[in-house]
Amino acid sequence: MVNAGDMNGSGNLMDFLDEPFPDVGTYEDFHTIDWLREKSRDTDRHRKITSKSKESIWEFIKSLLDAWSGWVVMLLIGLLAGTLAGVIDLAVDWMTDLKEGVCLSAFWYSHEQCCWTSNETTFDDRDKCPQWQKWSELLVNQSEGASAYILNYFLYIMWALCFAFLAVSLVRVFAPYACGSGIPEIKTILSGFIIRGYLGKWTLLIKTVTLVLVVSSGLSLGKEGPLVHVACCCGNFFSSLFSKYSKNEGKRREVLSAAAAAGVSVAFGAPIGGVLFSLEEVSYYFPLKTLWRSFFAALVAAFTLRSINPFGNSRLVLFYVEYHTPWRKTTRLGKYPVLEVIVITAITAVIAYPNPYTRRSTSELISELFNDCGALESSQLCDYINDPNMTRPVDDIPDRPAGPGVYTAMWQLALALVFKIVITIFTFGMKIPSGLFIPSMAVGAMAGRMVGIGVEQLAYHHHDWIIFRNWCRPGADCVTPGLYAMVGAAACLGGVTRMTVSLVVIMFELTGGLEYIVPLMAAAVTSKWVADAFGKEGIYEAHIHLNGYPFLDVKDEFTHRTLATDVMRPRRGEAPLSVLTQDSMTVEDVETLIKETDYNGFPVVVSKDSERLIGFAQRRELILAIKNARQRQDGVVSNSIVYFTEDPPELPPNSPHPLKLRRILNLSPFTVTDHTPMETVVDIFRKLGLRQCLVTRSGRLLGIITKKDVLRHMAQMANQDPESIMFN
Amino acid sequence: MVNAGDMNGSGNLMDFLDEPFPDVGTYEDFHTIDWLREKSRDTDRHRKITSKSKESIWEFIKSLLDAWSGWVVMLLIGLLAGTLAGVIDLAVDWMTDLKEGVCLSAFWYSHEQCCWTSNETTFDDRDKCPQWQKWSELLVNQSEGASAYILNYFLYIMWALCFAFLAVSLVRVFAPYACGSGIPEIKTILSGFIIRGYLGKWTLLIKTVTLVLVVSSGLSLGKEGPLVHVACCCGNFFSSLFSKYSKNEGKRREVLSAAAAAGVSVAFGAPIGGVLFSLEEVSYYFPLKTLWRSFFAALVAAFTLRSINPFGNSRLVLFYVEYHTPWRKTTRLGKYPVLEVIVITAITAVIAYPNPYTRRSTSELISELFNDCGALESSQLCDYINDPNMTRPVDDIPDRPAGPGVYTAMWQLALALVFKIVITIFTFGMKIPSGLFIPSMAVGAMAGRMVGIGVEQLAYHHHDWIIFRNWCRPGADCVTPGLYAMVGAAACLGGVTRMTVSLVVIMFELTGGLEYIVPLMAAAVTSKWVADAFGKEGIYEAHIHLNGYPFLDVKDEFTHRTLATDVMRPRRGEAPLSVLTQDSMTVEDVETLIKETDYNGFPVVVSKDSERLIGFAQRRELILAIKNARQRQDGVVSNSIVYFTEDPPELPPNSPHPLKLRRILNLSPFTVTDHTPMETVVDIFRKLGLRQCLVTRSGRLLGIITKKDVLRHMAQMANQDPESIMFN
């Protein structure tokens, strides 16, 4: 950490460079930031603005603008994320319908909009109107019959392939970072890792466009995860407009946390669920101020989306499916991403079309599965045999025996369930934007609805069984299959992501019913316990692990008995630690050390003998400072002595000009003793967001522990390959 | 911190005391715990159980029980907290009605229950039935007339005084900690402070009983805050049954966080709001595991309360009013707490009885203010002039002109508002259990309803004004005064407590409507901004401050430029730091040092000259170890040398037996350099929950910073009196 106080307060000690040289305080790609340092830089900036604000009215207004810029950024993120989500929904709606036909009165209308505007439509035939023509009607003037079916089937597959090909090509050519759901990478970025371009403008544009394409193509994937990525790109874009956020990687991440909340908010129409998701799942450093701002951003986003109102209802937002899995790397097809996408799309389209439960969009499917069977419901799932002698109010229909439609629906649901499970496994991790929420929910909802119908029929036919006797009298409405579907969806999603509180909140914000909190909660608890018994990692953690990102999970508990001395470098037998001395090395010595090693920084000690620690110098800043001095300072040559001390001694007149580097020295490096238990060290790394920590014994420097060392040690202790941690 | 690895791993170095002597690891009253140390002790315990569990089936079962004990404790807390809340509600209901009359058929029935069981009751006259007799009917056989009114009035006051006197006496005699709302103290306890007895069984019992008494007496206070205290007492009780929690102050606080969530959950019937309240307002250290367990406890508690169903509805939980304020200390009456309570109760009862809006319980008042005027509503607030020519469905009544009842209600509401504001100011902080949620909500709801009715009438009579023209056509229902009341209540509560997200969630869980999230959110944001402009502290922080508790607020930002060297002790000119040396002090020297100072611990250095830091020894453990050794170890006398080193040298045969104390030495004390900015130090104290931190320069010990030093420094920087921080 550059000590801010020293940088500004001890200007008299420096004979060059009052303003920081360019690039100081930035990080290299695929490196980890130092949270404490970022925080201290921001406080410094804040202090400067506060003290300036007393000088003039203009400065005072500037300080007010600075204080409010956080809220402005949140507002802008909410507006843009909500707008993009609305546009995506509208476009997906239109393109999904384009696979089946076209609206003659206006080609940019979706099926539903087309028939809305038609006056001849009655309530029962909402879906049928002369303006909407299937391709077979338009091309060969036939709407029924085998040849029309085959033509529609063929064109459905062709459109799907066309969309998928376009999407995968766009991703490959313009923005490789736009593929996948993006949540694992966003988790990693929020934990303090730098991946340049991952949240860039190109990614934003391409991800938005290709998301529409892949969802429209009918692949078994969802748009929720990618929407979080899109919202974070918005967040990154707007934070780059304000120097408060663009110049500070720590502050920028506060904005990104809130943007992730806004993303979930528009994906599900669940602002509170979004904030909790961001808190529980995505964010690493989540101060309470961010909680509040996230809520604001999530609310603005949800409000904007509702104003656009892409579905004509303001409650349930459409659903799609999303998945990604660690086995991707081993598939052969994975080497040919375009071919892979085409093949999977073709298989999906060919199998999905004939089954009504896979042909429709997954969100419609989920919505139908959640619904209870009212008297007016025309769905096949509600084909019950009614008792003609009974007259009851519409909203209190007793359990009834299933009719033939329900049995057909059960078979189709079972086939759809198997297909959905298999195809999502192959869809996940393709090189296109893809999310996992909706496919998991669909799988759970299908299984849940089937169980629900089974229990309902059992209860109807055997209401004298002990399990039913006490709470289900004949003629009562005691089993609601739609609730089983909802609980199944929650359980499946909970098992995949290991969300808990945020899952329950999202589910009840989705369904609008606070009453179902107990069954939802029970489902979430059970699925988490069962899933944890198979392995502690959710899909996002597994993905992070697979990619080798240096992510220090807040939820992992470290309970081993090792001490700092077991983890620090150098180990016994290794070469001694590379250190700088405060007043005895030449510029050339330092340059050689930099060249020969690739460490991110070097401890500075009093002398090689005493090993008493003075501070820590960052590699990047050392390089910049020496380069700068060689260019701009006369007399600094390879022989110049590098001084990290406060007052360099008077040198003999002929000796080369010394290079004073105290200003880049972090005078408060973090230290622990060699006896510190590793669990404490892990805790410190997590909570303070450190990049490295020095190890001392009785004031003498012994070694260094970096974040990577900690992660490798943790992998080793969990019997995993420590080499799986790949970046710094 | 006792280094756990060393305590167990280096047994061969110790020649006494393999098991820890009693009281090691405990803290003194009014002292702060060391979170890192508690955490490390728990990990150690966990490791021991895990390694033992492989030895036998019994040990394995024991380890399973240990792992599940957290969930069991949550379940028990939820059950007990829910039951207590239900019992309190039932008792309050009965005793509130007892002030007005009695049920002849069964004296333990409340007014409503009494008339429920009566068959003659029709829907319109729910409140009138022959079994329920007012006191005047029972005693002088008169139900109307001036003398009956005066008799009822008198008995109402007498009962109120009687309840209040009983309550204040019980609190004074048996459990002084039962007074107030308890939330400021719970916040302080959760931040790591020890207040023995504050969560004890006596407090639990007396607080429950007196809470019923004071709420029934009609004082302007609420039961929500005290219910959180009661739930925390339950949490403390159950955690004392499991050694995992009873022996570890850190783990115990995890349970208490969850118990606080359960308390809010039963106070408002809002489980999610409870979890968020605990997270946002109360808890200090809130790991994600606690989030999940809190949710479980909150849910069980809410579920238990609903099963008891004290109000016959399962949605809105009754409301009461609560307040406390920092000016308490200056009132003269404050020195005579019993008299104070009697006087305030008398004034409350005398003024409250004649006005219908202050006579009823505050929760009923809020409920009426929130309600919209339907066609069947008989309330005075709904006395509108209906258009006889209009037939409309019941749930879509247009704006109507106000009738005389509404005008009367407006006057009474205005008087009630003024009275409520004044009397709550005097009620808060009396020596009885008292909460602040409901009075603030009532004040806000009254003001909101009045504004709502005003806007409604304006819109009705002037619907051509610009502000109404675009959204309020004549004959439409465009203003809902009930919603104004709800928003007003949220705004007032938000201003008092500075809750944000949890406030909105509690409000919509209370009212059951997710739709009002936008106005509620706007109210919460505005009230927080306005209130923050007057002062950053909410009522709880103000109270903590007033009591001088050492509470390091997570929300305060420290932005000053000071360094560790400015805060550490000894200051320039003060006596040098009291240190122990590792191998040159006698038992007597150490005892003298302990006697002459009152520090909580002493750094151990190599020698007074080199000042190189070895570790840190706690005062309490030094005293215990020396006392123990003097009693149980032969040869340890005042002249014995105290060794903190690993291998004490061989001593000449005649010298006294040495005292080896390495086992109580914390070998990994926390250190920072003297150049560390104070903002980093504050961050470290907060996030790691430290009790003290040593300051070094180039490996040499310079001084020490304790939590109290940090708090004093922060007070000084904020231009407050540093002496206001009173405990350690």
Side-chain angles (χ1 to χ4, degrees):
Chain A
M1 187 170 44
V2 173
N3 186 289
D6 260 67
M7 268 180 81
N8 303 292
S10 345
N12 54 331
L13 297 175
M14 275 154 236
D15 49 354
F16 77 107
L17 283 176
D18 269 337
E19 60 208 62
F21 32 86
D23 278 345
V24 151
T26 61
Y27 298 88
E28 279 171 74
D29 206 3
F30 292 106
H31 277 66
T32 304
I33 69 168
D34 185 326
W35 285 91
L36 267 187
R37 169 181 163 169
E38 295 302 299
K39 202 170 167 197
S40 143
R41 282 178 55 215
D42 182 62
T43 317
D44 206 48
R45 194 194 59 81
H46 186 248
R47 269 197 297 253
K48 216 181 269 171
I49 287 175
T50 315
S51 68
K52 257 194 187 172
S53 75
K54 288 163 198 153
E55 288 168 14
S56 72
I57 299 252
W58 171 234
E59 291 291 342
F60 180 71
I61 293 171
K62 268 195 358 198
S63 79
L64 278 187
L65 287 178
D66 180 77
W68 280 86
S69 61
W71 292 100
V72 173
V73 169
M74 294 300 139
L75 180 72
L76 292 172
I77 291 172
L79 287 174
L80 185 58
T83 309
L84 283 178
V87 169
I88 289 173
D89 285 339
L90 287 174
V92 164
D93 219 23
W94 176 68
M95 287 176 66
T96 303
D97 289 343
L98 193 65
K99 288 190 297 182
E100 301 194 359
V102 73
C103 186
L104 289 186
S105 53
F107 73 91
W108 58 88
Y109 276 174
S110 72
H111 190 161
E112 204 180 350
Q113 289 167 324
C114 189
C115 293
W116 259 349
T117 51
S118 154
N119 292 328
E120 298 150 57
T121 314
T122 62
F123 184 74
D124 279 345
D125 279 332
R126 269 178 300 190
D127 285 1
K128 283 169 195 158
C129 61
Q131 282 83 351
W132 178 260
Q133 297 235 307
K134 288 191 182 174
W135 291 114
S136 63
E137 290 175 81
L138 195 73
L139 300 177
V140 299
N141 231 336
Q142 272 184 311
S143 71
E144 302 288 326
S147 62
Y149 185 86
I150 288 170
L151 180 62
N152 283 330
Y153 195 173
F154 175 74
L155 282 170
Y156 180 93
I157 295 170
M158 280 301 111
W159 279 112
L161 287 177
C162 181
F163 293 162
F165 177 74
L166 196 56
V168 71
S169 313
L170 281 174
V171 168
R172 265 178 79 85
V173 175
F174 293 106
Y177 281 147
C179 70
S181 84
I183 292 184
E185 284 80 9
I186 288 168
K187 276 188 83 152
T188 313
I189 289 174
L190 285 177
S191 83
F193 196 59
I194 307 264
I195 311 181
R196 289 205 197 290
Y198 198 83
L199 300 174
K201 273 167 262 175
W202 270 109
T203 312
L204 173 61
L205 184 70
I206 297 296
K207 189 134 193 174
T208 309
V209 172
T210 53
L211 185 57
V212 172
L213 288 168
V214 292
V215 172
S216 307
S217 78
L219 279 163
S220 179
L221 46 80
K223 67 174 169 37
E224 282 62 30
L227 266 181
V228 175
H229 187 178
V230 165
C232 283
C233 291
C234 298
N236 193 44
F237 172 71
F238 287 118
S239 64
S240 71
L241 302 183
F242 295 84
S243 69
K244 179 176 179 178
Y245 296 105
S246 62
K247 291 200 181 146
N248 192 302
E249 292 291 341
K251 293 297 279 181
R252 188 202 293 266
R253 274 157 183 75
E254 286 180 21
V255 175
L256 294 181
S257 283
V264 178
S265 169
V266 289
F268 291 106
I272 296 167
V275 174
L276 287 178
F277 177 81
S278 178
L279 166 66
E280 190 182 339
E281 268 304 308
V282 182
S283 295
Y284 193 79
Y285 172 73
F286 203 95
L288 280 167
K289 202 169 66 184
T290 315
L291 180 75
W292 193 211
R293 290 196 174 164
S294 301
F295 194 40
F296 181 72
L299 206 89
V300 172
F303 200 69
T304 309
L305 179 62
R306 281 191 193 184
S307 310
I308 298 177
N309 199 3
F311 307 117
N313 66 13
S314 53
R315 169 69 62 196
L316 192 72
V317 177
L318 276 187
F319 286 117
Y320 298 97
V321 192
E322 168 182 72
Y323 236 114
H324 22 145
T325 173
W327 309 299
R328 182 179 95 197
K329 281 194 166 166
T330 58
T331 62
R332 274 195 153 178
L333 266 177
K335 290 177 196 154
Y336 308 99
V338 178
L339 183 64
E340 183 189 40
V341 171
I342 297 296
V343 169
I344 298 286
T345 311
I347 294 173
T348 308
V350 168
I351 300 183
Y353 189 83
N355 188 330
Y357 293 105
T358 49
R359 193 197 308 177
R360 76 187 68 180
S361 78
T362 321
S363 54
E364 283 174 47
L365 170 65
I366 294 177
S367 174
E368 182 177 336
L369 292 169
F370 280 11
N371 271 333
D372 203 11
C373 288
L376 295 171
E377 195 61 59
S378 61
S379 151
Q380 197 186 4
L381 274 170
C382 292
D383 179 27
Y384 288 93
I385 297 163
N386 285 306
D387 183 350
N389 302 322
M390 186 116 72
T391 50
R392 283 277 207 126
V394 172
D395 57 346
D396 182 24
I397 295 170
D399 287 354
R400 297 159 294 175
V406 174
Y407 287 109
T408 318
M410 287 287 269
W411 271 113
Q412 289 175 339
L413 270 184
L415 288 174
L417 177 62
V418 173
F419 167 68
K420 213 65 180 170
I421 293 175
V422 173
I423 201 72
T424 25
I425 289 174
F426 286 97
T427 306
F428 51 54
M430 292 198 310
K431 292 277 177 211
I432 45 172
S434 64
L436 124 157
F437 276 52
I438 298 305
S440 340
M441 282 177 79
V443 165
M446 282 192 269
R449 183 81 185 206
M450 286 163 68
V451 171
I453 292 176
V455 172
E456 183 194 41
Q457 293 305 313
L458 263 186
Y460 178 80
H461 291 293
H462 305 279
H463 43 69
D464 51 341
W465 283 10
I466 286 180
I467 47 166
F468 299 122
R469 205 186 294 156
N470 290 321
W471 55 279
C472 190
R473 278 161 304 119
D477 178 18
C478 42
V479 178
T480 313
L483 184 57
Y484 280 75
M486 201 165 96
V487 169
C492 191
L493 185 53
V496 171
T497 60
R498 312 293 161 83
M499 286 155 67
T500 56
V501 181
S502 49
L503 172 69
V504 177
V505 174
I506 286 177
M507 285 305 290
F508 78 63
E509 283 195 274
L510 259 181
T511 56
L514 280 166
E515 304 88 62
Y516 303 123
I517 194 168
V518 174
L520 285 176
M521 160 94 195
V525 173
T526 316
S527 76
K528 189 173 159 64
W529 283 341
V530 171
D532 278 354
F534 287 99
K536 281 273 179 196
E537 278 182 335
I539 190 97
Y540 302 128
E541 285 80 32
H543 207 102
I544 286 171
H545 212 122
L546 182 77
N547 286 349
Y549 295 133
F551 182 74
L552 193 52
D553 198 344
V554 188
K555 290 175 210 159
D556 274 353
E557 283 192 59
F558 185 85
T559 54
H560 300 280
R561 248 182 126 139
T562 43
L563 299 178
T565 184
D566 305 326
V567 179
M568 71 177 191
R569 310 204 152 233
R571 302 276 162 81
R572 244 162 248 165
E574 283 183 356
L577 190 66
S578 305
V579 294
L580 301 172
T581 55
Q582 65 175 3
D583 53 6
S584 57
M585 285 173 89
T586 63
V587 169
E588 200 179 359
D589 292 341
V590 175
E591 282 174 332
T592 315
L593 186 67
I594 290 173
K595 218 170 281 164
E596 282 171 359
T597 61
D598 59 354
Y599 302 125
N600 280 323
F602 305 92
V604 179
V605 294
V606 171
S607 69
K608 294 244 174 188
D609 297 330
S610 91
E611 282 179 335
R612 276 175 29 222
L613 183 69
I614 300 291
F616 192 81
Q618 299 279 346
R619 174 196 189 82
R620 196 173 162 83
E621 285 172 9
L622 270 177
I623 294 174
L624 287 168
I626 292 177
K627 191 176 138 209
N628 226 288
R630 277 197 186 255
Q631 281 171 2
R632 309 215 328 223
Q633 261 186 297
D634 286 340
V636 169
V637 292
S638 299
N639 262 355
S640 301
I641 302 278
V642 176
Y643 282 102
F644 290 101
T645 50
E646 225 162 319
D647 295 300
E650 284 297 316
L651 294 172
N654 286 339
S655 57
H657 197 80
L659 176 57
K660 299 176 196 166
L661 289 184
R662 192 175 176 88
R663 62 167 311 188
I664 67 157
L665 187 64
N666 173 5
L667 287 166
S668 53
F670 227 85
T671 57
V672 295
T673 68
D674 57 338
H675 273 84
T676 311
M678 266 315 281
E679 78 178 281
T680 307
V681 176
V682 170
D683 214 40
I684 295 170
F685 267 87
R686 265 180 203 152
K687 290 195 178 147
L688 302 178
L690 293 188
R691 210 179 168 188
Q692 71 274 315
C693 179
L694 299 170
V695 183
T696 60
R697 181 198 285 158
S698 332
R700 285 218 172 88
L701 180 67
L702 286 186
I704 187 168
I705 298 178
T706 64
K707 191 169 173 185
K708 196 175 177 178
D709 294 329
V710 172
L711 284 162
R712 287 190 167 181
H713 180 70
M714 287 172 80
Q716 210 168 16
M717 286 288 131
N719 291 321
Q720 291 160 344
D721 177 19
E723 296 309 313
S724 65
I725 313 298
M726 290 193 285
F727 304 101
N728 277 302
Chain B
M1 187 169 46
V2 173
N3 186 290
D6 260 67
M7 269 180 79
N8 302 292
S10 346
N12 53 332
L13 297 175
M14 278 154 232
D15 49 353
F16 77 109
L17 283 175
D18 270 337
E19 60 208 62
F21 32 85
D23 278 345
V24 151
T26 61
Y27 298 88
E28 279 171 75
D29 205 3
F30 292 105
H31 277 66
T32 304
I33 69 168
D34 185 326
W35 285 91
L36 267 185
R37 170 180 164 171
E38 294 302 300
K39 202 170 170 198
S40 143
R41 282 178 54 215
D42 181 63
T43 317
D44 206 48
R45 193 195 59 81
H46 186 250
R47 269 197 297 254
K48 216 181 269 173
I49 287 176
T50 315
S51 68
K52 256 193 186 171
S53 74
K54 287 163 196 151
E55 286 169 16
S56 72
I57 298 256
W58 172 234
E59 291 291 342
F60 180 71
I61 292 171
K62 267 194 357 197
S63 80
L64 277 187
L65 287 179
D66 180 78
W68 279 85
S69 61
W71 292 99
V72 173
V73 169
M74 293 301 138
L75 180 71
L76 293 172
I77 291 172
L79 288 174
L80 185 58
T83 309
L84 283 178
V87 169
I88 289 173
D89 285 339
L90 288 173
V92 164
D93 220 22
W94 176 69
M95 287 176 65
T96 303
D97 290 344
L98 193 65
K99 288 189 298 180
E100 301 193 359
V102 72
C103 187
L104 291 184
S105 54
F107 74 91
W108 59 89
Y109 277 174
S110 72
H111 191 161
E112 203 180 350
Q113 289 166 325
C114 189
C115 292
W116 259 350
T117 49
S118 156
N119 292 329
E120 298 149 59
T121 312
T122 63
F123 185 76
D124 278 344
D125 280 331
R126 270 180 298 192
D127 284 2
K128 284 168 194 158
C129 61
Q131 281 84 350
W132 179 259
Q133 297 235 305
K134 288 191 182 174
W135 291 113
S136 63
E137 291 175 80
L138 195 73
L139 300 177
V140 299
N141 231 335
Q142 271 184 312
S143 71
E144 303 288 327
S147 62
Y149 185 87
I150 290 171
L151 179 63
N152 284 330
Y153 194 173
F154 175 74
L155 282 170
Y156 179 94
I157 296 171
M158 280 300 112
W159 278 112
L161 287 177
C162 181
F163 294 161
F165 177 75
L166 196 56
V168 72
S169 313
L170 281 174
V171 167
R172 264 179 79 85
V173 176
F174 294 106
Y177 281 146
C179 70
S181 84
I183 292 184
E185 284 80 9
I186 288 168
K187 276 189 84 153
T188 313
I189 289 174
L190 285 176
S191 83
F193 195 59
I194 307 264
I195 310 180
R196 291 205 196 289
Y198 198 83
L199 301 174
K201 273 166 261 175
W202 270 109
T203 311
L204 173 61
L205 184 69
I206 297 296
K207 188 132 194 176
T208 309
V209 173
T210 53
L211 185 56
V212 172
L213 289 168
V214 291
V215 173
S216 308
S217 78
L219 278 165
S220 179
L221 46 79
K223 66 173 171 39
E224 282 62 30
L227 267 180
V228 174
H229 187 179
V230 165
C232 284
C233 291
C234 299
N236 193 45
F237 173 70
F238 287 119
S239 66
S240 71
L241 302 182
F242 295 84
S243 68
K244 179 176 179 178
Y245 296 104
S246 63
K247 291 198 180 145
N248 191 303
E249 292 290 341
K251 295 295 281 181
R252 187 203 293 265
R253 273 157 184 77
E254 286 181 21
V255 175
L256 294 181
S257 283
V264 177
S265 169
V266 288
F268 292 105
I272 297 167
V275 174
L276 287 179
F277 178 80
S278 177
L279 166 67
E280 191 182 337
E281 267 306 306
V282 182
S283 296
Y284 194 80
Y285 173 74
F286 202 96
L288 280 167
K289 201 168 68 183
T290 315
L291 181 74
W292 192 211
R293 291 197 173 163
S294 300
F295 194 40
F296 182 71
L299 207 90
V300 172
F303 200 68
T304 310
L305 179 62
R306 281 192 194 183
S307 310
I308 298 175
N309 200 3
F311 307 117
N313 66 12
S314 52
R315 170 70 64 198
L316 192 72
V317 177
L318 277 187
F319 286 115
Y320 297 98
V321 192
E322 169 180 72
Y323 237 115
H324 22 147
T325 170
W327 309 299
R328 182 180 95 197
K329 282 193 165 167
T330 59
T331 62
R332 274 195 154 178
L333 266 176
K335 290 178 195 154
Y336 310 98
V338 178
L339 183 65
E340 182 189 41
V341 171
I342 297 296
V343 168
I344 298 285
T345 312
I347 295 173
T348 308
V350 168
I351 301 184
Y353 189 83
N355 188 331
Y357 294 105
T358 49
R359 192 197 308 179
R360 76 188 68 183
S361 78
T362 321
S363 54
E364 283 173 48
L365 169 64
I366 294 178
S367 173
E368 181 176 336
L369 292 170
F370 280 10
N371 272 331
D372 203 10
C373 287
L376 295 171
E377 195 62 59
S378 62
S379 152
Q380 197 186 6
L381 273 171
C382 293
D383 179 27
Y384 287 94
I385 297 162
N386 286 306
D387 182 351
N389 301 322
M390 186 116 73
T391 51
R392 282 281 204 121
V394 173
D395 56 347
D396 183 25
I397 296 171
D399 287 356
R400 296 159 295 174
V406 174
Y407 288 109
T408 318
M410 287 287 269
W411 271 114
Q412 289 177 339
L413 269 184
L415 288 174
L417 177 63
V418 173
F419 167 68
K420 213 61 179 172
I421 293 175
V422 173
I423 201 73
T424 25
I425 289 175
F426 286 97
T427 306
F428 52 55
M430 291 197 310
K431 293 276 178 209
I432 44 171
S434 64
L436 126 154
F437 276 50
I438 298 306
S440 337
M441 282 178 77
V443 166
M446 282 192 270
R449 183 82 185 205
M450 286 164 67
V451 171
I453 292 176
V455 173
E456 183 194 41
Q457 293 306 313
L458 263 188
Y460 179 80
H461 291 292
H462 304 279
H463 42 71
D464 51 339
W465 283 13
I466 285 179
I467 47 166
F468 300 122
R469 204 185 293 156
N470 291 321
W471 55 277
C472 190
R473 277 162 304 118
D477 179 17
C478 43
V479 178
T480 315
L483 183 58
Y484 280 76
M486 200 166 98
V487 169
C492 191
L493 184 53
V496 172
T497 60
R498 312 291 160 84
M499 288 155 65
T500 56
V501 183
S502 50
L503 172 69
V504 177
V505 174
I506 286 177
M507 286 304 290
F508 78 63
E509 283 193 276
L510 258 181
T511 55
L514 279 167
E515 304 88 61
Y516 303 122
I517 195 168
V518 174
L520 285 177
M521 159 95 195
V525 173
T526 316
S527 75
K528 189 172 158 64
W529 284 342
V530 171
D532 278 355
F534 287 99
K536 281 275 179 196
E537 277 182 334
I539 190 95
Y540 301 129
E541 286 79 31
H543 208 100
I544 287 172
H545 212 122
L546 182 75
N547 287 349
Y549 295 132
F551 181 74
L552 193 51
D553 198 344
V554 188
K555 290 174 210 159
D556 272 355
E557 283 190 62
F558 185 87
T559 54
H560 300 280
R561 251 181 123 139
T562 42
L563 299 179
T565 183
D566 305 325
V567 178
M568 73 177 191
R569 307 197 156 241
R571 301 275 163 82
R572 244 163 249 164
E574 283 184 355
L577 191 65
S578 304
V579 294
L580 301 172
T581 54
Q582 65 175 1
D583 53 6
S584 58
M585 284 172 91
T586 63
V587 169
E588 201 180 358
D589 292 342
V590 175
E591 282 174 332
T592 315
L593 186 66
I594 291 172
K595 217 170 285 165
E596 283 173 359
T597 62
D598 57 354
Y599 303 126
N600 279 323
F602 306 91
V604 179
V605 294
V606 171
S607 69
K608 294 244 175 190
D609 297 330
S610 92
E611 282 179 334
R612 275 173 30 220
L613 183 69
I614 300 291
F616 192 80
Q618 298 279 344
R619 174 195 190 83
R620 196 174 161 84
E621 285 172 10
L622 270 177
I623 294 173
L624 286 168
I626 293 176
K627 192 177 139 206
N628 225 287
R630 279 199 186 252
Q631 282 171 359
R632 309 216 327 224
Q633 262 187 295
D634 285 340
V636 170
V637 292
S638 298
N639 263 354
S640 301
I641 302 277
V642 176
Y643 283 101
F644 290 101
T645 49
E646 226 163 319
D647 294 300
E650 283 298 316
L651 292 172
N654 286 339
S655 58
H657 198 78
L659 175 57
K660 299 175 196 165
L661 287 184
R662 192 176 176 86
R663 62 168 312 188
I664 67 157
L665 186 63
N666 172 4
L667 287 165
S668 52
F670 226 87
T671 58
V672 294
T673 67
D674 58 337
H675 272 84
T676 311
M678 266 316 282
E679 74 174 287
T680 307
V681 176
V682 170
D683 214 40
I684 295 171
F685 267 87
R686 266 181 201 151
K687 290 197 178 146
L688 301 177
L690 294 186
R691 210 180 168 191
Q692 71 276 315
C693 178
L694 299 170
V695 183
T696 61
R697 182 198 285 160
S698 330
R700 284 218 173 89
L701 180 68
L702 286 186
I704 187 168
I705 298 178
T706 64
K707 190 169 173 186
K708 196 176 175 177
D709 294 330
V710 172
L711 284 162
R712 289 189 168 185
H713 180 69
M714 286 172 79
Q716 210 168 16
M717 287 288 133
N719 291 320
Q720 291 160 343
D721 177 20
E723 294 310 312
S724 65
I725 313 298
M726 291 192 284
F727 304 101
N728 278 301

